[in-house]
Each structure stands twice: as structure tokens, then as C-alpha cells.
Amino acid sequence: MAETEKIEVRDITRIERIGAHSHIRGLGLDDVLEARLVSQGMVGQKDARRAAGVVVQMVREGKIAGRCILLAGEPSTGKTAIAVGMAQALGTETPFTSMSGSEIYSLEMSKTEALSQALRKSIGVRIKEETEIIEGEVVEIQIERPATGTGQKVGKVTLKTTEMETNYDLGNKIIECFMKEKIQAGDVITIDKASGKVNKLGRSFTRARDYDATGAQTRFVQCPEGELQKRKEVVHTVTLHEIDVINSRTHGFLALFSGDTGEIKQEVRDQINNKVLEWREEGKAEINPGVLFIDEVHMLDIECFSFLNRALESDMAPVVVMATNRGITRIRGTNYRSPHGIPIDLLDRMIIIRTVSYLEKEVKEILKIRCEEEDCIMHPDALTILTRIATDTSLRYAIQLITTANLVCRRRKATEVNTEDVKKVYSLFLDENRSSKILKEYQDDYMFSEINEQEEQDPAAGGGAKRRVDVGSGDAQPMEH
């Protein structure tokens, strides 16, 4: 007798994108908005997370709109992570738009138009409408196809509820929907009379014993009660920007897919605002202000800040959350210095949330979470060394060593990353401090030696002795020709 062949079954691996903040699931707060030490991917920053939690609560209740929040702190202190946590905590119902300050400098549209579109993307409109639907259990379905294979199909369906039963003739479009959804006797379905859309709710409990085995995804529901024809309220959630695009372009909603929205006239926006306010007065729509997050906000110039001052005072304004890692610096487009590179009048409209540097134990916890996210098993000693590297250099640099150390570990056919793997990648990839040190030592071997040129410009600096210039701090300025 021939041996039974072994059939190898492999799971199809899911395609996953691991980003810098893909491990964050929320802000990690409890019911009274107290920050847990480690929760939902967030570590430390308790005060900043609590403040962000209060903002999220106000956005949910619709009590806050047109306000501006600034997340300010040193680099690698979790400003963007808090914004991602806010987006996760708000859920899919509340619009959340994320952009970088440099995104507005585009050749295709003006800076103010780019900001206007970002603001309008962050305002949701819940439009309510009543539709007539037919809801019932399929008793019998008959579909007759032409013998030639061409021509219209003819069909009949019998639907019932607990109180009544009715026969319906089916048109060609509904028959195609029935065949697409694979509707059969015993299914509980809904048919939208206006659009002809067919939706399968599940199998009726009375037909539960029709088959000996059913799939895990099979859902059993009760037979509907009352009349077959019912009126149902449907809520559609769209953003103001989507309404703008549909009403401003000749090819309508197709512009949403192509991305070619172009500049939208202010007259169109004013008409849409008036219409949405009318719907709100009539009870047909609700305005749902969301959140616009602008990272690296110091990249905006004085014109953009002036525009935001006016835009935030509008009735149709979302909550604007900004993030910056700059101290007292020059406002772009002017020669004036200001805290965070933001004009004083706009800073006056903001509430500022400060982020602080992570402690060593918090850094270790973040690295541990990132190892889990990147499917990397790391020895405790290796994690301790990586934590030391993070405190001496930067958290971002240490996070980037996780995957590279994991690849070195796989190369030697091992499953756990040890201290030698971390030391190997630390020697292969330089951090900013070591790279700056090498540049200072071998400056003459590189092209355009600006340190020597600086000394020639400033001969009073130490009587010809070499002047020490900190490359990392940006003290060495290039010559202007």
C-alpha cells in the first residue's frame, strides 16, 4: 500500500506595514482620564497625555471648535505619538487630518488654498435621510434565464415577516444584485427601494438545521416583525472638502479618486456653508468638527500664520493641533524671533502642552514595545545595551537598530538578538554625534571645507589657532556669495 502523501499547509502571511507609530492604539487613559504608565503603546508623558485626553473628550462632545493646541517639546519626546494616539482615541467617525508644515509649499496650488482644503477635510457633516426599504425572509426565489443565453432575465421572489407574506417581480438590476450576494431561500435580506441595493443580514433561525455544517462566518438572525415595507433613517458622514470637490469640478466626485482637486472658488465654499447651515436648521444634518494636526509647524511662514488667525475664528473651524521642536527662533518670512517660530498673536490663541524627555526606564519600555511590533525577540542584556545607546544618542537611532540587529541575528541562523548583534550594527551604522566627530577630524579631505573658510573670514578668533566649531549645533554658517 502506497504511503499517504503529506500535504503541507502554510498560512498566507498578512502584508503588514510597520511604521514609526504603528504600535500606538490610543492615549492609554482610564475612565477618569488618568494616564496609565504603559498602555495602548504609550509610555510616560503622563501630563501631556492627560491634557490630550481632555481635548479628545471635548471634541467628542462637540464643545470645542476653532481652538488651537500646541504640542511643544524637545526632539524624540513623543509629540507625533500623542497626535496619533488622539486620532486612534477619536475613532473613524471623527475626521482627523494629518499634514506636515512643508506640505503646503506646492506649485499646483497656493499656500492658503492648501490650508483651506486641510481645514475643510477636518470638518465632518452627518447627513440624515429617510429611505424606504423592504425587509423580510426569503421563502422562495425563482430566476428564469433565456435559453439562448442573451436577453433579460425574469425572476420572482417571495418574502415574509412574522405577520405577512408577499410576492415580488424582480427586474434585471435586482436579479444581478441577488446573484452577486448569492441570495437563497432562508436568507433574511433588505432591499433599498430607491437604489435597488440588496443587503444580506444573515440566515433565519428556522432554517438553522437545513445543513449539517455551516461556516464560522454564517450569522443567524430572527425573522423580521411587522410589515415588509419600512421607513429607515440612514446617516451618511462626509467631509466639507468632499462636498466642495463634488460641487466645484465638472467631473464631480471622480476628482476625489484622481486627487486632482485644483483650487476651489470661495463662492462655491460660501454656498456650501449656507446649504449645510440650512440642513442643520432643518435637522437634516449635523456638523461634526474634527481635528487638523500640523507637524513641524515652524515650517509655515508669516502669511500662513496670518491666514490661520482668521480661519480659526470662522464658524466652520476644526480643532487645530500643532507640533514643534524649536525653541526661540526666527519666524519664517520675517527677521523677527519668537518662541517656537510662531507669531505672538497666534501663540496667544493657543493652549500649550509640553512634552518632556523620557526617563531611562521609559526608554527601555518603548524599545520593548517596538521589539514586539517588529517581531524581534531580544535578550534582556541586549535590550539594556540598546537602552544605553538610546540615552547616549537618540531614541530614534536606537529604534532603527532593532530591525538591523534582527537581520544580523537571522544571518547567523539564531532566533534571539544578543549583545554581539547590537554591537555589530552599532559599529556599522553611525549616529549623529560620531558622524559629526569624523567630519571635524577629516574636514580637509572633504570638498568645500567651510571650517577653514570661516577661520579666514574671522582671523581674530584665537590668533590663527584652529577654531572649534560644533557642526551639530549649526554654528558653522555657509558663506554667502
Side-chain angles (χ1 to χ4, degrees):
M1 188 176 172
E3 288 184 10
T4 311
E5 290 183 8
K6 289 183 180 178
I7 301 170
E8 188 180 347
V9 180
R10 290 184 183 176
D11 290 332
I12 298 169
T13 50
R14 289 184 297 133
I15 297 170
E16 292 180 346
R17 298 285 296 171
I18 298 171
H21 300 103
S22 57
H23 61 284
I24 292 168
R25 311 279 181 264
L27 285 169
L29 304 173
D30 57 18
D31 296 335
V32 290
L33 300 181
E34 285 290 335
R36 301 186 191 97
L37 183 63
V38 181
S39 180
Q40 295 181 319
M42 297 293 285
V43 179
Q45 305 291 353
K46 286 191 174 182
D47 292 339
R49 280 157 58 198
R50 281 185 66 187
V54 172
V55 173
V56 166
Q57 196 64 30
M58 288 193 286
V59 170
R60 278 182 186 149
E61 293 173 7
K63 290 182 179 177
I64 182 170
R67 303 291 178 87
C68 205
I69 295 102
L70 178 68
L71 294 167
E74 301 89 355
S76 297
T77 52
K79 297 179 292 295
T80 311
I82 288 171
V84 172
M86 288 174 73
Q88 296 282 357
L90 285 167
T92 52
E93 284 296 307
T94 307
F96 188 97
T97 310
S98 181
M99 65 178 291
S100 175
S102 54
E103 278 182 39
I104 62 161
Y105 301 105
S106 166
L107 299 174
E108 293 174 5
M109 63 177 79
S110 66
K111 292 178 283 190
T112 53
E113 176 63 22
L115 280 172
S116 293
Q117 290 192 11
L119 288 163
R120 307 267 298 179
K121 280 177 190 172
S122 308
I123 303 166
V125 182
R126 288 199 195 98
I127 301 167
K128 301 173 187 172
E129 61 175 1
E130 281 194 344
T131 57
E132 284 194 0
I133 62 163
I134 300 165
E135 184 177 19
E137 180 188 332
V138 178
V139 179
E140 188 184 2
I141 181 167
Q142 296 175 349
I143 297 172
E144 295 176 6
R145 297 176 179 83
T148 56
T150 56
Q152 287 199 338
K153 302 178 185 79
V154 181
K156 286 184 181 180
V157 68
T158 307
L159 296 176
K160 71 163 187 179
T161 63
T162 52
E163 296 176 15
M164 60 187 295
E165 187 173 314
T166 314
N167 293 327
Y168 291 97
D169 290 328
L170 301 176
N172 210 37
K173 185 181 175 185
I174 299 284
I175 288 170
E176 284 178 9
C177 291
F178 267 63
M179 292 171 72
K180 188 179 177 183
E181 292 288 331
K182 297 177 182 174
I183 306 295
Q184 57 184 345
D187 289 339
V188 177
I189 63 167
T190 60
I191 304 171
D192 190 337
K193 287 185 75 175
S195 64
K197 188 181 176 183
V198 179
N199 190 20
K200 188 199 285 191
L201 302 178
R203 294 281 294 170
S204 173
F205 275 115
T206 55
R207 299 294 190 107
R209 296 186 179 276
D210 281 9
Y211 300 101
D212 294 333
T214 54
Q217 70 275 15
T218 306
R219 189 172 159 213
F220 289 99
V221 293
Q222 294 285 356
C223 182
E225 297 175 354
E227 294 188 2
L228 276 162
Q229 293 197 30
K230 298 171 186 173
R231 292 186 73 81
K232 190 178 179 183
E233 190 178 77
V234 181
V235 179
H236 304 285
T237 305
V238 291
T239 65
L240 279 178
H241 175 66
E242 288 168 352
I243 303 172
D244 293 345
V245 172
I246 290 164
N247 286 280
S248 68
R249 307 290 288 176
T250 49
H251 44 278
F253 73 95
L254 292 174
L256 290 171
F257 301 104
S258 65
D260 179 26
T261 53
E263 297 222 6
I264 297 165
K265 292 180 181 176
Q266 189 58 40
E267 294 81 18
V268 174
R269 287 196 172 120
D270 291 340
Q271 288 173 8
I272 288 164
N273 287 352
N274 293 334
K275 196 68 183 173
V276 169
L277 290 171
E278 269 179 46
W279 288 344
R280 190 173 67 172
E281 292 295 324
E282 293 168 9
K284 288 182 181 176
E286 290 177 10
I287 295 172
N288 181 21
V291 176
L292 169 62
F293 174 61
I294 307 174
D295 205 357
E296 307 289 336
V297 72
H298 51 265
M299 292 300 296
L300 300 182
D301 59 12
I302 191 70
E303 295 164 16
C304 298
F305 289 129
S306 301
F307 175 79
L308 280 173
N309 272 338
R310 181 76 185 88
L312 288 170
E313 293 171 357
S314 167
D315 295 337
M316 298 278 192
V319 176
V320 180
V321 179
M322 301 176 177
T324 180
N325 55 16
R326 298 295 166 97
I328 296 170
T329 184
R330 193 171 60 86
I331 302 167
R332 186 167 175 157
T334 70
N335 292 320
Y336 298 104
R337 289 177 176 269
S338 176
H340 312 296
I342 300 169
I344 300 293
D345 56 343
L346 183 57
L347 275 173
D348 207 28
R349 290 178 166 86
M350 292 179 174
I351 47 177
I352 301 172
I353 300 172
R354 182 168 180 259
T355 57
V356 293
S357 299
Y358 289 109
L359 302 173
E360 190 171 329
K361 62 178 182 180
E362 292 170 349
V363 170
K364 191 171 187 175
E365 204 61 48
I366 292 166
L367 291 170
K368 198 185 290 182
I369 291 167
R370 287 303 303 177
C371 286
E372 288 173 14
E373 181 71 11
E374 298 181 24
D375 295 329
C376 174
I377 301 165
M378 189 166 286
H379 193 273
D381 293 343
L383 190 63
T384 305
I385 289 176
L386 205 60
T387 308
R388 183 66 189 274
I389 290 169
T391 51
D392 290 347
T393 58
S394 74
L395 180 59
R396 286 195 179 101
Y397 173 71
I399 287 171
Q400 286 167 1
L401 293 185
I402 293 171
T403 306
T404 49
N406 195 22
L407 290 170
V408 171
C409 168
R410 282 187 203 168
R411 188 70 185 237
R412 59 182 181 84
K413 303 287 193 334
T415 55
E416 189 180 55
V417 176
N418 61 20
T419 53
E420 293 303 318
D421 298 327
V422 175
K423 288 175 182 175
K424 175 79 173 172
V425 293
Y426 180 73
S427 63
L428 285 173
F429 302 103
L430 299 179
D431 59 275
E432 183 195 356
N433 293 334
R434 284 185 291 161
S435 181
S436 300
K437 190 177 177 183
I438 291 166
L439 281 178
K440 283 183 232 174
E441 285 179 11
Y442 299 99
Q443 180 70 24
D444 296 337
D445 297 337
Y446 287 88
M447 289 183 67
F448 310 115
S449 176
E450 291 178 4
I451 289 179
N452 295 336
E453 290 173 3
Q454 190 81 14
E455 287 169 3
E456 288 171 13
Q457 289 285 321
D458 190 9
K466 279 204 171 183
R467 187 170 152 232
R468 189 175 179 278
V469 179
D470 189 357
V471 179
S473 65
D475 290 340
Q477 297 291 333
M479 286 180 65
E480 291 184 5
H481 296 286

Tab-separated table of all heavy atoms in Angstrom, residues 224-255:
chain	number	residue	atom	x	y	z
A	224	PRO	N	-37.883	38.962	10.565
A	224	PRO	CA	-38.345	40.327	10.889
A	224	PRO	C	-39.818	40.359	11.293
A	224	PRO	O	-40.624	39.543	10.838
A	224	PRO	CB	-38.106	41.107	9.593
A	224	PRO	CG	-37.098	40.328	8.845
A	224	PRO	CD	-37.331	38.892	9.197
A	225	GLU	N	-40.143	41.343	12.134
A	225	GLU	CA	-41.526	41.521	12.578
A	225	GLU	C	-42.161	42.682	11.829
A	225	GLU	O	-41.485	43.487	11.211
A	225	GLU	CB	-41.548	41.803	14.089
A	225	GLU	CG	-41.000	40.664	14.933
A	225	GLU	CD	-40.915	41.032	16.404
A	225	GLU	OE1	-41.175	42.216	16.723
A	225	GLU	OE2	-40.601	40.154	17.213
A	226	GLY	N	-43.507	42.770	11.915
A	226	GLY	CA	-44.256	43.889	11.325
A	226	GLY	C	-44.406	43.766	9.827
A	226	GLY	O	-44.400	42.673	9.255
A	227	GLU	N	-44.535	44.935	9.163
A	227	GLU	CA	-44.757	44.969	7.716
A	227	GLU	C	-43.450	44.782	6.964
A	227	GLU	O	-42.367	45.022	7.503
A	227	GLU	CB	-45.399	46.298	7.316
A	227	GLU	CG	-46.809	46.485	7.864
A	227	GLU	CD	-47.470	47.722	7.288
A	227	GLU	OE1	-46.833	48.392	6.454
A	227	GLU	OE2	-48.608	47.999	7.678
A	228	LEU	N	-43.598	44.389	5.686
A	228	LEU	CA	-42.410	44.196	4.845
A	228	LEU	C	-41.766	45.539	4.493
A	228	LEU	O	-40.552	45.678	4.537
A	228	LEU	CB	-42.787	43.448	3.562
A	228	LEU	CG	-42.849	41.919	3.683
A	228	LEU	CD1	-43.625	41.340	2.527
A	228	LEU	CD2	-41.451	41.326	3.712
A	229	GLN	N	-42.591	46.533	4.131
A	229	GLN	CA	-42.067	47.838	3.736
A	229	GLN	C	-41.942	48.725	4.969
A	229	GLN	O	-42.902	48.904	5.710
A	229	GLN	CB	-42.982	48.499	2.705
A	229	GLN	CG	-42.996	47.753	1.383
A	229	GLN	CD	-43.548	48.591	0.250
A	229	GLN	OE1	-43.420	49.806	0.251
A	229	GLN	NE2	-44.168	47.947	-0.725
A	230	LYS	N	-40.739	49.278	5.161
A	230	LYS	CA	-40.463	50.116	6.329
A	230	LYS	C	-39.716	51.371	5.893
A	230	LYS	O	-39.067	51.388	4.848
A	230	LYS	CB	-39.599	49.353	7.350
A	230	LYS	CG	-40.255	48.111	7.908
A	230	LYS	CD	-39.261	47.312	8.726
A	230	LYS	CE	-39.901	45.992	9.160
A	230	LYS	NZ	-38.950	45.100	9.805
A	231	ARG	N	-39.822	52.396	6.741
A	231	ARG	CA	-39.025	53.614	6.534
A	231	ARG	C	-37.856	53.596	7.516
A	231	ARG	O	-38.051	53.377	8.710
A	231	ARG	CB	-39.881	54.866	6.741
A	231	ARG	CG	-40.940	55.031	5.681
A	231	ARG	CD	-41.667	56.347	5.848
A	231	ARG	NE	-40.854	57.482	5.458
A	231	ARG	CZ	-40.668	57.897	4.208
A	231	ARG	NH1	-41.251	57.245	3.204
A	231	ARG	NH2	-39.930	58.946	3.946
A	232	LYS	N	-36.662	53.816	7.003
A	232	LYS	CA	-35.459	53.721	7.831
A	232	LYS	C	-34.618	54.979	7.655
A	232	LYS	O	-34.467	55.485	6.545
A	232	LYS	CB	-34.650	52.483	7.408
A	232	LYS	CG	-33.506	52.142	8.333
A	232	LYS	CD	-32.818	50.878	7.861
A	232	LYS	CE	-31.651	50.511	8.759
A	232	LYS	NZ	-30.940	49.315	8.261
A	233	GLU	N	-34.053	55.483	8.767
A	233	GLU	CA	-33.187	56.663	8.707
A	233	GLU	C	-31.740	56.227	8.465
A	233	GLU	O	-31.201	55.420	9.213
A	233	GLU	CB	-33.281	57.448	10.012
A	233	GLU	CG	-32.595	58.805	9.925
A	233	GLU	CD	-32.709	59.614	11.195
A	233	GLU	OE1	-31.954	59.290	12.138
A	233	GLU	OE2	-33.534	60.532	11.244
A	234	VAL	N	-31.151	56.761	7.407
A	234	VAL	CA	-29.760	56.426	7.051
A	234	VAL	C	-28.899	57.665	7.275
A	234	VAL	O	-29.290	58.777	6.902
A	234	VAL	CB	-29.653	55.956	5.578
A	234	VAL	CG1	-28.230	55.582	5.233
A	234	VAL	CG2	-30.588	54.800	5.320
A	235	VAL	N	-27.731	57.487	7.899
A	235	VAL	CA	-26.819	58.610	8.158
A	235	VAL	C	-25.563	58.440	7.306
A	235	VAL	O	-24.891	57.412	7.377
A	235	VAL	CB	-26.435	58.681	9.657
A	235	VAL	CG1	-25.473	59.840	9.908
A	235	VAL	CG2	-27.666	58.815	10.523
A	236	HIS	N	-25.262	59.443	6.471
A	236	HIS	CA	-24.035	59.455	5.659
A	236	HIS	C	-23.075	60.472	6.274
A	236	HIS	O	-23.475	61.607	6.549
A	236	HIS	CB	-24.329	59.849	4.212
A	236	HIS	CG	-25.341	58.982	3.539
A	236	HIS	ND1	-25.051	57.716	3.103
A	236	HIS	CD2	-26.642	59.189	3.247
A	236	HIS	CE1	-26.124	57.185	2.561
A	236	HIS	NE2	-27.108	58.057	2.635
A	237	THR	N	-21.818	60.089	6.478
A	237	THR	CA	-20.809	61.022	7.004
A	237	THR	C	-19.834	61.377	5.886
A	237	THR	O	-19.163	60.507	5.340
A	237	THR	CB	-20.044	60.389	8.188
A	237	THR	OG1	-20.986	59.967	9.171
A	237	THR	CG2	-19.107	61.396	8.820
A	238	VAL	N	-19.796	62.659	5.557
A	238	VAL	CA	-18.852	63.166	4.533
A	238	VAL	C	-18.139	64.377	5.117
A	238	VAL	O	-18.569	64.951	6.113
A	238	VAL	CB	-19.572	63.569	3.218
A	238	VAL	CG1	-20.124	62.371	2.497
A	238	VAL	CG2	-20.678	64.581	3.483
A	239	THR	N	-17.023	64.767	4.485
A	239	THR	CA	-16.324	65.979	4.924
A	239	THR	C	-16.724	67.143	4.031
A	239	THR	O	-17.195	66.944	2.900
A	239	THR	CB	-14.792	65.797	4.876
A	239	THR	OG1	-14.395	65.609	3.506
A	239	THR	CG2	-14.353	64.613	5.713
A	240	LEU	N	-16.523	68.356	4.542
A	240	LEU	CA	-16.857	69.547	3.746
A	240	LEU	C	-16.017	69.609	2.477
A	240	LEU	O	-16.498	70.058	1.432
A	240	LEU	CB	-16.618	70.814	4.578
A	240	LEU	CG	-17.719	71.217	5.567
A	240	LEU	CD1	-17.289	72.453	6.327
A	240	LEU	CD2	-19.035	71.481	4.859
A	241	HIS	N	-14.774	69.139	2.535
A	241	HIS	CA	-13.907	69.159	1.353
A	241	HIS	C	-14.471	68.264	0.247
A	241	HIS	O	-14.445	68.627	-0.926
A	241	HIS	CB	-12.494	68.697	1.729
A	241	HIS	CG	-11.562	68.577	0.562
A	241	HIS	ND1	-11.146	69.655	-0.179
A	241	HIS	CD2	-10.981	67.489	-0.014
A	241	HIS	CE1	-10.354	69.248	-1.159
A	241	HIS	NE2	-10.232	67.936	-1.066
A	242	GLU	N	-15.009	67.098	0.633
A	242	GLU	CA	-15.607	66.197	-0.369
A	242	GLU	C	-16.813	66.854	-1.036
A	242	GLU	O	-16.991	66.738	-2.258
A	242	GLU	CB	-16.018	64.876	0.299
A	242	GLU	CG	-14.829	64.011	0.675
A	242	GLU	CD	-15.183	62.853	1.587
A	242	GLU	OE1	-16.328	62.792	2.071
A	242	GLU	OE2	-14.300	62.013	1.827
A	243	ILE	N	-17.622	67.576	-0.255
A	243	ILE	CA	-18.769	68.292	-0.844
A	243	ILE	C	-18.276	69.395	-1.767
A	243	ILE	O	-18.830	69.616	-2.848
A	243	ILE	CB	-19.683	68.869	0.266
A	243	ILE	CG1	-20.168	67.754	1.193
A	243	ILE	CG2	-20.871	69.602	-0.331
A	243	ILE	CD1	-20.912	68.231	2.425
A	244	ASP	N	-17.196	70.092	-1.360
A	244	ASP	CA	-16.601	71.149	-2.205
A	244	ASP	C	-16.181	70.593	-3.566
A	244	ASP	O	-16.483	71.175	-4.615
A	244	ASP	CB	-15.350	71.750	-1.535
A	244	ASP	CG	-15.677	72.524	-0.276
A	244	ASP	OD1	-16.865	72.831	-0.081
A	244	ASP	OD2	-14.758	72.805	0.503
A	245	VAL	N	-15.458	69.459	-3.536
A	245	VAL	CA	-14.915	68.871	-4.775
A	245	VAL	C	-16.051	68.442	-5.696
A	245	VAL	O	-16.025	68.708	-6.908
A	245	VAL	CB	-13.992	67.672	-4.434
A	245	VAL	CG1	-13.577	66.935	-5.697
A	245	VAL	CG2	-12.757	68.145	-3.699
A	246	ILE	N	-17.060	67.786	-5.142
A	246	ILE	CA	-18.169	67.285	-5.964
A	246	ILE	C	-18.905	68.434	-6.643
A	246	ILE	O	-19.339	68.322	-7.788
A	246	ILE	CB	-19.139	66.439	-5.097
A	246	ILE	CG1	-18.457	65.119	-4.703
A	246	ILE	CG2	-20.440	66.149	-5.819
A	246	ILE	CD1	-19.128	64.381	-3.574
A	247	ASN	N	-19.011	69.582	-5.953
A	247	ASN	CA	-19.770	70.710	-6.495
A	247	ASN	C	-18.937	71.676	-7.336
A	247	ASN	O	-19.507	72.523	-8.019
A	247	ASN	CB	-20.420	71.495	-5.348
A	247	ASN	CG	-21.603	70.763	-4.756
A	247	ASN	OD1	-22.700	70.773	-5.292
A	247	ASN	ND2	-21.374	70.076	-3.659
A	248	SER	N	-17.608	71.548	-7.291
A	248	SER	CA	-16.781	72.539	-7.978
A	248	SER	C	-16.212	72.041	-9.300
A	248	SER	O	-15.844	72.833	-10.148
A	248	SER	CB	-15.629	72.973	-7.079
A	248	SER	OG	-14.731	71.896	-6.895
A	249	ARG	N	-16.108	70.727	-9.479
A	249	ARG	CA	-15.461	70.181	-10.673
A	249	ARG	C	-16.485	69.666	-11.665
A	249	ARG	O	-17.546	69.191	-11.295
A	249	ARG	CB	-14.504	69.034	-10.299
A	249	ARG	CG	-13.502	69.376	-9.236
A	249	ARG	CD	-12.457	70.353	-9.698
A	249	ARG	NE	-11.520	69.742	-10.632
A	249	ARG	CZ	-10.558	70.398	-11.240
A	249	ARG	NH1	-10.412	71.673	-11.052
A	249	ARG	NH2	-9.750	69.777	-12.057
A	250	THR	N	-16.111	69.723	-12.933
A	250	THR	CA	-17.035	69.253	-13.979
A	250	THR	C	-17.212	67.738	-13.902
A	250	THR	O	-18.284	67.224	-14.146
A	250	THR	CB	-16.500	69.639	-15.377
A	250	THR	OG1	-15.116	69.236	-15.460
A	250	THR	CG2	-16.601	71.123	-15.593
A	251	HIS	N	-16.131	67.011	-13.521
A	251	HIS	CA	-16.248	65.562	-13.434
A	251	HIS	C	-16.595	65.103	-12.020
A	251	HIS	O	-16.445	63.934	-11.688
A	251	HIS	CB	-14.977	64.853	-13.935
A	251	HIS	CG	-13.699	65.452	-13.466
A	251	HIS	ND1	-13.138	66.546	-14.072
A	251	HIS	CD2	-12.874	65.133	-12.430
A	251	HIS	CE1	-12.007	66.865	-13.456
A	251	HIS	NE2	-11.832	66.026	-12.447
A	252	GLY	N	-17.037	66.056	-11.159
A	252	GLY	CA	-17.634	65.709	-9.874
A	252	GLY	C	-16.780	64.851	-8.977
A	252	GLY	O	-15.603	65.113	-8.773
A	253	PHE	N	-17.417	63.814	-8.432
A	253	PHE	CA	-16.773	63.008	-7.392
A	253	PHE	C	-15.568	62.228	-7.895
A	253	PHE	O	-14.759	61.751	-7.097
A	253	PHE	CB	-17.788	62.055	-6.747
A	253	PHE	CG	-18.177	60.900	-7.615
A	253	PHE	CD1	-17.538	59.676	-7.487
A	253	PHE	CD2	-19.183	61.023	-8.560
A	253	PHE	CE1	-17.883	58.604	-8.277
A	253	PHE	CE2	-19.531	59.953	-9.359
A	253	PHE	CZ	-18.887	58.739	-9.215
A	254	LEU	N	-15.382	62.088	-9.228
A	254	LEU	CA	-14.216	61.362	-9.753
A	254	LEU	C	-12.914	62.064	-9.369
A	254	LEU	O	-11.866	61.425	-9.274
A	254	LEU	CB	-14.306	61.232	-11.276
A	254	LEU	CG	-15.423	60.314	-11.800
A	254	LEU	CD1	-15.484	60.387	-13.309
A	254	LEU	CD2	-15.182	58.870	-11.357
A	255	ALA	N	-12.989	63.388	-9.120
A	255	ALA	CA	-11.795	64.137	-8.694
A	255	ALA	C	-11.300	63.658	-7.341
A	255	ALA	O	-10.119	63.780	-7.024
A	255	ALA	CB	-12.113	65.631	-8.642
